[in-house]
Amino acid sequence: MSGSEPSIDTSAAPITTCDVAVVGYGPTGMMLAALLGRQGHHVVVLERYDGLYNLPRAACFDDEIMRTFQKLGLVEAVMPGTVVQTDYEWVNGAGEMLLEVSYDSLAPGGWAALYMMYQPHLETVLDGFCRSLPTVEVRQGVVVDGLNMSDDRVELTAVGPGDVRSGVHARFVIGADGGAGFVRPALGVELVDYAFQENWLVCDFHKRRHLPAVPSFRQVCDPAQPIAIVRIGPEHHRFSFMLDPDEAPGRATDPERVWERVAGYLSREDAELIRVANYVFRSRIAERWRSGPVMLAGDAAHEMPPFLAQGMCSGIRDSHNLAWKLDLVLTGRADAAVLDTYQVEREPHVRFITEKAIELGRVQTLRDPAAAHERDRRLIAQRRAEQTPAKIVFPGLGAGLVASAAPHAGERFVQGVVARRGGEPQRFDDLLGSGPVIVARHREMLGALSAAQVEFWQTLGGRVAVVGEPEQATKADRAAENGDPVTAGADPRTGDHLLRQVIELVDVEQVYSEWFGARDVEAVVVRPDWYVYGATAEVAGLPALLTELASALRSPARSAAPA
């Protein structure tokens, strides 16, 4: 729909005006509302269901997502619904081990690489946080049925409980309402389909007791019956069975038939069956994720097979990418054109995961016995030769809001344990906050920054940290205690104005020393979502990076970048 069309008639309906309207209240919508709400933006969430879905769908998340919960201060609340997972195994129909994948207990994001989780617990935590924010309004049992864009707003109409109609006028609208939601079709956005879909039976159980013999994360690559077995949090387990094309859904979902399928692993004395769903996963991506002030996120923008368990993670990454950019636009610190980088950055990442999941899924679920036998022979031979399967590394940002020629732009930045002088060790983000940050190995790297550039960095909510090895910090501490001056460098306008803002940190576990040393750089500009805007080995490099960033956030009509 375009701004040239007449506005929707909401004369008889109450109208709410807000900064951002979010359609859909699954993890993607919840995270977006939480991130924007904590920044003080007025967010209205419209959700068709009367309450939380309250059944598990996703099974796990990674260190990047846990770091996002850390940003919200929710790690302690989320943890009871999670279990750290350290391995993943494939076996064949005879129970022979085909391959094992290990996961790091400490990943680059500062948390474990993989957490198995019970989704209703996570959603309860996020819902409670959203409702605690005075600027977030959650409306459930509300079906959006109209969308129109005018010059300065998006108009939504909806019908709620008792057939009461209402309207929401927002500067921006995010469609996070799933693959079958309203927003994408309302925009006329088509889907690119990979034509890879399969019919599965998903069976979730609440365990009555500890079951150490049940695999925690296993793919049974049996051509007669492919099975995925996944621990979903501390007290629940999931068994998923690939269905034959001619198997009737009613027969497959019958509880008696479910118990027959899991008899080799569980009994009624072991667990309670809490959910059975006939689920057809799809692999498709929307052609366009932004139409002016309306954007798509999560399953509304992309649906992927479950074989990498990254569906929910991808939606939360969408929300994080959008949230900090929307914050800059809503506060006048960036032009709306910066939102064009959303799909540019996120779609390649989503395509990589989708295509890799399709590749793995086709290998895992071979139904032809001869092809499955050849797969087993090859993987067992590799295992006997001690050929460890290569770990899947997700791509960084190849384009978008990253420096054009700076080294390591688009990489995801690490989080290590650091400490202030005389302070207790903490994770980096807990000390530096949630905004952008300049991290340098030495104060001298800050020397060429002008007062105007420092002021620009401040307007972004940027912080500055020097992270040194313990002996370096000791020298700096002695200088400070003795009152020795430390100059900022070439530009006298900078001086103490910048130095007062620098946070001196000790690199407790050498995470930053290793990161900088491996890349031969001395300073880095990091975005609020922990992707590297750019890095440099030269003192003159930081001013150049900030100048380019300022230009990227502003249209030519606005003021010139600071120099």
Side-chain angles (χ1 to χ4, degrees), residues 66-382:
M66 184 60 93
R67 195 173 180 181
T68 312
F69 290 126
Q70 179 189 357
K71 173 176 280 195
L72 297 175
L74 295 178
V75 169
E76 186 175 347
V78 166
M79 277 293 196
T82 69
V83 176
V84 173
Q85 185 67 31
T86 58
D87 62 347
Y88 172 40
E89 58 190 25
W90 294 14
V91 301
N92 62 14
E96 296 175 291
M97 187 69 68
L98 300 179
L99 64 79
E100 291 179 281
V101 177
S102 62
Y103 296 100
D104 295 333
S105 58
L106 184 62
W111 299 94
L114 190 64
Y115 294 86
M116 315 309 287
M117 59 100 184
Y118 185 58
Q119 187 172 342
H121 173 81
L122 182 150
E123 291 184 352
T124 297
V125 170
L126 278 173
D127 177 56
F129 182 81
C130 287
R131 293 178 188 276
S132 74
L133 298 170
T135 59
V136 175
E137 180 183 353
V138 179
R139 301 180 184 177
Q140 292 173 300
V142 176
V143 177
V144 176
D145 58 6
L147 181 154
N148 190 72
M149 287 180 274
S150 62
D151 292 338
D152 61 348
R153 68 191 183 197
V154 185
E155 301 173 359
L156 297 176
T157 57
V159 58
D163 293 329
V164 175
R165 299 202 62 81
S166 62
V168 175
H169 293 177
R171 286 186 61 186
F172 296 96
V173 168
I174 312 300
D177 50 346
F182 168 81
V183 176
R184 183 191 57 77
L187 297 173
V189 175
E190 299 295 327
L191 293 165
V192 177
D193 199 324
Y194 281 88
F196 180 68
Q197 61 184 55
E198 291 177 352
N199 194 16
W200 282 72
L201 182 73
V202 180
C203 312
D204 291 334
F205 297 84
H206 181 223
K207 295 181 287 189
R208 303 182 193 276
R209 56 193 178 195
H210 181 51
L211 301 171
V214 178
S216 61
F217 197 15
R218 173 180 290 183
Q219 191 74 34
V220 181
C221 305
D222 183 353
Q225 176 64 91
I227 308 171
I229 305 172
V230 183
R231 173 172 54 178
I232 49 174
E235 300 178 352
H236 295 82
H237 233 88
R238 171 173 297 161
F239 288 78
S240 299
F241 301 90
M242 186 177 181
L243 296 179
D244 295 327
D246 58 351
E247 187 160 6
R251 166 66 174 151
T253 56
D254 179 69
E256 292 302 320
R257 176 65 177 136
V258 171
W259 284 111
E260 291 174 10
R261 289 184 188 271
V262 301
Y265 302 95
L266 288 176
S267 70
R268 284 179 169 84
E269 288 71 35
D270 293 325
E272 174 190 3
L273 178 62
I274 62 171
R275 177 196 181 215
V276 182
N278 185 196
Y279 166 63
V280 179
F281 69 72
R282 293 179 171 82
S283 312
R284 53 191 190 179
I285 299 175
E287 290 182 336
R288 188 174 74 255
W289 297 16
R290 181 187 180 206
S291 297
V294 183
M295 282 142 283
L296 303 175
D299 284 359
H302 44 77
E303 296 175 85
M304 60 186 64
F307 300 106
L308 278 177
Q310 281 288 314
M312 186 193 77
C313 294
S314 295
I316 289 177
R317 290 190 188 98
D318 292 347
S319 294
H320 200 185
N321 189 292
L322 278 171
W324 71 269
K325 293 173 183 176
L326 282 167
D327 176 55
L328 291 178
V329 174
L330 288 166
T331 54
R333 294 175 291 170
D335 291 315
V338 76
L339 299 172
D340 288 334
T341 65
Y342 165 55
Q343 183 174 358
V344 170
E345 294 178 353
R346 289 291 305 128
E347 184 178 3
H349 196 276
V350 165
R351 284 197 178 277
F352 174 89
I353 292 173
T354 301
E355 291 166 7
K356 183 61 69 172
I358 291 172
E359 176 188 329
L360 292 177
R362 285 178 171 151
V363 174
Q364 293 172 347
T365 61
L366 287 170
R367 303 307 297 266
D368 178 68
H373 177 75
E374 174 57 26
R375 173 204 60 202
D376 295 353
R377 184 201 62 74
R378 174 173 52 83
L379 292 176
I380 289 172
Q382 291 174 355

